[in-house]
Amino acid sequence: EIVLTQSPGTLSLSPGERATLSCRASQSVSSSYLAWYQQKPGQAPRLLIYGASSRATGIPDRFSGSGSGTDFTLTISRLEPEDFAVYYCQHYGSSPLYTFGQGTKLEIK
Amino acid sequence: EVQLLESGGGLEQPGGSLRLSCAASGFTFSSYAMSWVRQAAGKGLEWVSRISSSGGSTYYADSVKGRFTISRDNSKNTLYLQMNSLRAEDTAVYYCATSDYGRFQDWGQGTVVTVSS
């Protein structure tokens, strides 16, 4: 079973700063099936990145994804006020079929 | 515009049953695999179940296997989740989502399930 570990648990930054969120897999995974989501309080998650580095439709280009093997990164180049939320990475594999990381809360400093 | 609207949540006693529905519109429902994902209050996301576009293949998380059944009616553009033998730990917001290519592209707003005596 693949486990995704996200770090840090909480990231405190100011608008305009750069955010770097990490997702580490317990074993090597296919980049094709690594995705990132944003979730704001009281809302459903929103797909940001798929295939480790492809932005979903309508996602601003300040969001970017990178990585391969066991280490993946979501970068937000310049934080906007609306970017403060919880972020999850997710992998599609075998058993279980889908795995989520525990989330990183991005909060305003 | 893709719309997914869940319903059927509520308060149920341990050991009871509930049937969730997810009404889809704005896309060709019969062409997409669909999943249920849940989230307990203050916790992370947990995938629950997936069904292929035709309904011929189903998959479950170990935590619900044998208790939950996913199904779909492509003529009604509706996804279902039959939940039996409910436990307190099934208490969560349940989301339906499109789930092709290994990702959850579109999500509903969720329906709340509470299992308590």
Side-chain angles (χ1 to χ4, degrees):
Chain A
E1 176 181 340
I2 291 174
V3 176
L4 300 178
T5 302
Q6 293 185 239
S7 62
T10 302
L11 184 58
S12 300
L13 293 170
S14 301
E17 291 192 293
R18 180 185 187 90
T20 303
L21 287 66
S22 173
C23 176
R24 177 163 290 177
S26 57
Q27 59 187 275
S28 184
V29 299
S30 169
S31 300
S32 298
Y33 296 125
L34 194 289
W36 289 90
Y37 301 83
Q38 176 194 66
Q39 187 178 34
K40 297 179 181 179
Q43 296 185 16
R46 177 174 70 147
L47 177 67
L48 296 176
I49 300 287
Y50 64 92
S53 60
S54 297
R55 274 188 300 277
T57 303
I59 302 304
D61 60 7
R62 64 180 180 272
F63 290 91
S64 63
S66 63
S68 63
T70 60
D71 292 307
F72 298 88
T73 300
L74 174 70
T75 301
I76 311 172
S77 58
R78 292 176 313 279
L79 285 166
E80 298 287 343
E82 63 266 27
D83 298 337
F84 292 91
V86 179
Y87 292 83
Y88 295 94
C89 58
Q90 171 255 314
H91 177 255
Y92 169 77
S94 54
S95 181
L97 204 55
Y98 300 89
T99 303
F100 288 95
Q102 83 280 15
T104 290
K105 182 180 181 181
L106 178 57
E107 65 176 24
I108 299 177
K109 186 174 182 180
Chain B
E1 178 192 2
V2 172
Q3 288 198 350
L4 297 169
L5 185 62
E6 302 94 336
S7 60
L11 174 63
E12 183 57 64
Q13 293 187 340
S17 298
L18 279 174
R19 188 196 198 201
L20 306 184
S21 299
C22 171
S25 61
F27 66 106
T28 306
F29 179 73
S30 60
S31 296
Y32 287 81
M34 298 292 296
S35 284
W36 290 96
V37 177
R38 69 184 180 184
Q39 185 172 36
K43 303 297 184 181
L45 301 167
E46 180 188 17
W47 168 75
V48 173
S49 183
R50 179 185 188 264
I51 188 168
S52 63
S53 58
S54 67
S57 298
T58 57
Y59 309 86
Y60 299 93
D62 286 345
S63 57
V64 306
K65 199 172 295 182
R67 300 188 298 122
F68 290 10
T69 302
I70 192 171
S71 62
R72 64 191 298 162
D73 186 335
N74 286 342
S75 68
K76 294 182 178 179
N77 289 346
T78 303
L79 174 72
Y80 303 101
L81 185 68
Q82 178 67 44
M83 305 188 296
N84 298 331
S85 303
L86 284 164
R87 305 168 179 168
E89 54 265 35
D90 296 320
T91 296
V93 176
Y94 284 72
Y95 298 100
C96 65
T98 58
S99 52
D100 276 312
Y101 309 110
R103 59 191 183 258
F104 304 106
Q105 179 72 47
D106 298 290
W107 298 67
Q109 87 295 342
T111 187
V112 178
V113 171
T114 303
V115 183
S116 174
S117 55

PDB file of all heavy atoms in Angstrom, chain A residues 32-33 42 50 84 90 95 98 109:
ATOM      1  N   SER A  32       2.287  10.095 -13.919  1.00  0.00           N
ATOM      2  CA  SER A  32       1.051  10.262 -14.695  1.00  0.00           C
ATOM      3  C   SER A  32      -0.182  10.287 -13.798  1.00  0.00           C
ATOM      4  O   SER A  32      -1.218  10.812 -14.191  1.00  0.00           O
ATOM      5  CB  SER A  32       0.914   9.127 -15.710  1.00  0.00           C
ATOM      6  OG  SER A  32       1.974   9.135 -16.624  1.00  0.00           O
ATOM      7  N   TYR A  33      -0.052   9.698 -12.623  1.00  0.00           N
ATOM      8  CA  TYR A  33      -1.200   9.551 -11.734  1.00  0.00           C
ATOM      9  C   TYR A  33      -1.025  10.256 -10.405  1.00  0.00           C
ATOM     10  O   TYR A  33      -1.553   9.824  -9.385  1.00  0.00           O
ATOM     11  CB  TYR A  33      -1.493   8.065 -11.517  1.00  0.00           C
ATOM     12  CG  TYR A  33      -1.897   7.358 -12.781  1.00  0.00           C
ATOM     13  CD1 TYR A  33      -1.218   6.229 -13.231  1.00  0.00           C
ATOM     14  CD2 TYR A  33      -2.959   7.826 -13.548  1.00  0.00           C
ATOM     15  CE1 TYR A  33      -1.588   5.583 -14.392  1.00  0.00           C
ATOM     16  CE2 TYR A  33      -3.339   7.191 -14.715  1.00  0.00           C
ATOM     17  CZ  TYR A  33      -2.653   6.069 -15.124  1.00  0.00           C
ATOM     18  OH  TYR A  33      -3.027   5.438 -16.284  1.00  0.00           O
ATOM     19  N   GLY A  42     -15.685  24.601   3.882  1.00  0.00           N
ATOM     20  CA  GLY A  42     -17.060  24.485   3.448  1.00  0.00           C
ATOM     21  C   GLY A  42     -17.246  24.203   1.972  1.00  0.00           C
ATOM     22  O   GLY A  42     -18.382  24.181   1.494  1.00  0.00           O
ATOM     23  N   TYR A  50      -2.648  17.750 -12.455  1.00  0.00           N
ATOM     24  CA  TYR A  50      -2.708  16.320 -12.708  1.00  0.00           C
ATOM     25  C   TYR A  50      -1.474  15.913 -13.497  1.00  0.00           C
ATOM     26  O   TYR A  50      -0.782  16.761 -14.072  1.00  0.00           O
ATOM     27  CB  TYR A  50      -4.001  15.931 -13.447  1.00  0.00           C
ATOM     28  CG  TYR A  50      -4.119  16.535 -14.831  1.00  0.00           C
ATOM     29  CD1 TYR A  50      -3.662  15.851 -15.950  1.00  0.00           C
ATOM     30  CD2 TYR A  50      -4.696  17.795 -15.003  1.00  0.00           C
ATOM     31  CE1 TYR A  50      -3.762  16.399 -17.203  1.00  0.00           C
ATOM     32  CE2 TYR A  50      -4.801  18.359 -16.262  1.00  0.00           C
ATOM     33  CZ  TYR A  50      -4.335  17.660 -17.364  1.00  0.00           C
ATOM     34  OH  TYR A  50      -4.445  18.210 -18.604  1.00  0.00           O
ATOM     35  N   PHE A  84      -5.065  30.831   0.201  1.00  0.00           N
ATOM     36  CA  PHE A  84      -4.912  30.256   1.531  1.00  0.00           C
ATOM     37  C   PHE A  84      -6.032  29.228   1.737  1.00  0.00           C
ATOM     38  O   PHE A  84      -7.220  29.565   1.730  1.00  0.00           O
ATOM     39  CB  PHE A  84      -4.885  31.348   2.586  1.00  0.00           C
ATOM     40  CG  PHE A  84      -3.640  32.185   2.477  1.00  0.00           C
ATOM     41  CD1 PHE A  84      -3.626  33.329   1.687  1.00  0.00           C
ATOM     42  CD2 PHE A  84      -2.472  31.801   3.118  1.00  0.00           C
ATOM     43  CE1 PHE A  84      -2.456  34.082   1.551  1.00  0.00           C
ATOM     44  CE2 PHE A  84      -1.310  32.541   2.995  1.00  0.00           C
ATOM     45  CZ  PHE A  84      -1.301  33.685   2.201  1.00  0.00           C
ATOM     46  N   GLN A  90      -2.647  13.394  -4.318  1.00  0.00           N
ATOM     47  CA  GLN A  90      -3.418  12.158  -4.510  1.00  0.00           C
ATOM     48  C   GLN A  90      -2.762  11.303  -5.572  1.00  0.00           C
ATOM     49  O   GLN A  90      -2.246  11.820  -6.559  1.00  0.00           O
ATOM     50  CB  GLN A  90      -4.844  12.507  -4.919  1.00  0.00           C
ATOM     51  CG  GLN A  90      -5.710  11.339  -5.360  1.00  0.00           C
ATOM     52  CD  GLN A  90      -5.905  11.282  -6.870  1.00  0.00           C
ATOM     53  OE1 GLN A  90      -6.180  12.286  -7.507  1.00  0.00           O
ATOM     54  NE2 GLN A  90      -5.774  10.096  -7.450  1.00  0.00           N
ATOM     55  N   SER A  95      -3.835  -0.754  -4.838  1.00  0.00           N
ATOM     56  CA  SER A  95      -4.587  -1.035  -3.626  1.00  0.00           C
ATOM     57  C   SER A  95      -4.087  -0.187  -2.470  1.00  0.00           C
ATOM     58  O   SER A  95      -2.994  -0.410  -1.972  1.00  0.00           O
ATOM     59  CB  SER A  95      -4.480  -2.529  -3.260  1.00  0.00           C
ATOM     60  OG  SER A  95      -5.225  -2.808  -2.116  1.00  0.00           O
ATOM     61  N   TYR A  98      -7.164   4.686  -4.928  1.00  0.00           N
ATOM     62  CA  TYR A  98      -6.783   6.087  -4.797  1.00  0.00           C
ATOM     63  C   TYR A  98      -6.298   6.339  -3.376  1.00  0.00           C
ATOM     64  O   TYR A  98      -6.909   5.881  -2.419  1.00  0.00           O
ATOM     65  CB  TYR A  98      -7.976   7.010  -5.069  1.00  0.00           C
ATOM     66  CG  TYR A  98      -8.583   6.885  -6.444  1.00  0.00           C
ATOM     67  CD1 TYR A  98      -9.596   5.971  -6.697  1.00  0.00           C
ATOM     68  CD2 TYR A  98      -8.152   7.692  -7.494  1.00  0.00           C
ATOM     69  CE1 TYR A  98     -10.165   5.860  -7.957  1.00  0.00           C
ATOM     70  CE2 TYR A  98      -8.719   7.593  -8.753  1.00  0.00           C
ATOM     71  CZ  TYR A  98      -9.727   6.683  -8.979  1.00  0.00           C
ATOM     72  OH  TYR A  98     -10.278   6.574 -10.230  1.00  0.00           O
ATOM     73  N   LYS A 109       0.210  34.461   7.328  1.00  0.00           N
ATOM     74  CA  LYS A 109       1.109  34.795   8.433  1.00  0.00           C
ATOM     75  C   LYS A 109       0.774  36.166   8.984  1.00  0.00           C
ATOM     76  O   LYS A 109       0.545  37.106   8.192  1.00  0.00           O
ATOM     77  CB  LYS A 109       2.552  34.767   7.936  1.00  0.00           C
ATOM     78  CG  LYS A 109       3.590  34.955   9.012  1.00  0.00           C
ATOM     79  CD  LYS A 109       4.977  34.761   8.436  1.00  0.00           C
ATOM     80  CE  LYS A 109       6.030  34.901   9.506  1.00  0.00           C
ATOM     81  NZ  LYS A 109       7.402  34.706   8.947  1.00  0.00           N
TER      82      LYS A 109
END
